[in-house]
Amino acid sequence: MSTRVLLIEDEVPLLEATTYFLQQKGYQVVGVTDAERALEAFRLQPCDLIILDWNLPGAMQGIDFLRELRSGQEAVPVIMVTGRTGKEDIIQGLEVGADDYLTKPFNPEELIARIRSVLRRTHQVSGSPNRRIVYDKIIMDLDAHRIWVDNEEKQLSPKLFGMMQLLMMNPRRVFTRGQILDTVWGNENVGEKSVDVHACWLREILGEQGKHVVTVRGFGYRFGA
Ligand code: CA
């Protein structure tokens, strides 16, 4: 499967040239010209990597997009592209969660090298770029089967971990008790009450962050506001 790249660049000739170049190299590219559209595109279909221009039209700059992205559950690698060479800007970008940066004008071959290096780094950790989920003060490491709440590690049984993973990977989506049973319990013969009991335990273990496990009356559960 080819790597899917979301490219955010408001200079249309540069957007087109970069898209063409990446496609020639075998990447699937979705190109957008502002951050609002980028968020929409990302929510519709998450990608493996984001190339993000710093200066964008509209209310949301590249850095705001990045902040918004990282405040959600997304650990997708991001390469920032900027005309700014000031150290403070670069540091700010990295602090907010960019994985690498490139200054304009750049050589397309260098962009490819950066993409490969960032993907290698993220794949090394996990085999796939999205194996860590972050939401508010909760961090889940799906490969290591570990979870931290407000920087403190918590112990979850496999069922609790499975339920948490299902909910957290799909924020704001409502799951019925039946769907949760099918996904987490599989063929085990347990009743829907088990889901409620586990939801209670989950809230207890998560403490204040348990507020994100929301009961949707008459349907089931969802994660997040
Ligand atoms: Ca720009």
Side-chain angles (χ1 to χ4, degrees), residues 67-80:
R67 218 173 261 130
E68 176 75 24
L69 190 76
R70 294 297 189 230
S71 75
Q73 79 284 22
E74 289 308 334
V76 57
V78 174
I79 299 176
M80 285 205 84

Side-chain angles (χ1 to χ4, degrees), residues 42-136:
F42 187 79
R43 280 171 186 152
L44 276 176
Q45 194 183 27
C47 57
D48 302 303
L49 179 103
I50 295 175
I51 300 170
L52 175 63
D53 186 21
W54 184 299
N55 288 308
L56 292 169
M60 204 185 232
Q61 291 290 297
I63 195 90
D64 305 316
F65 170 85
L66 186 57
R67 218 173 261 130
E68 176 75 24
L69 190 76
R70 294 297 189 230
S71 75
Q73 79 284 22
E74 289 308 334
V76 57
V78 174
I79 299 176
M80 285 205 84
V81 176
T82 166
R84 304 164 180 232
T85 48
K87 237 193 193 135
E88 294 79 21
D89 292 335
I90 289 164
I91 289 170
Q92 195 193 357
L94 294 174
E95 267 175 0
V96 172
D99 295 271
D100 204 351
Y101 66 91
L102 203 55
T103 46
K104 284 183 187 176
F106 58 87
N107 175 333
E109 292 290 352
E110 193 184 350
L111 176 63
I112 296 290
R114 296 296 178 98
I115 290 175
R116 288 191 181 137
S117 140
V118 162
L119 286 177
R120 216 169 24 240
R121 262 191 343 243
T122 41
H123 281 258
Q124 243 173 18
V125 179
S126 57
S128 129
N130 271 324
R131 304 293 294 170
R132 216 164 220 243
I133 320 176
V134 183
Y135 191 98
D136 197 358

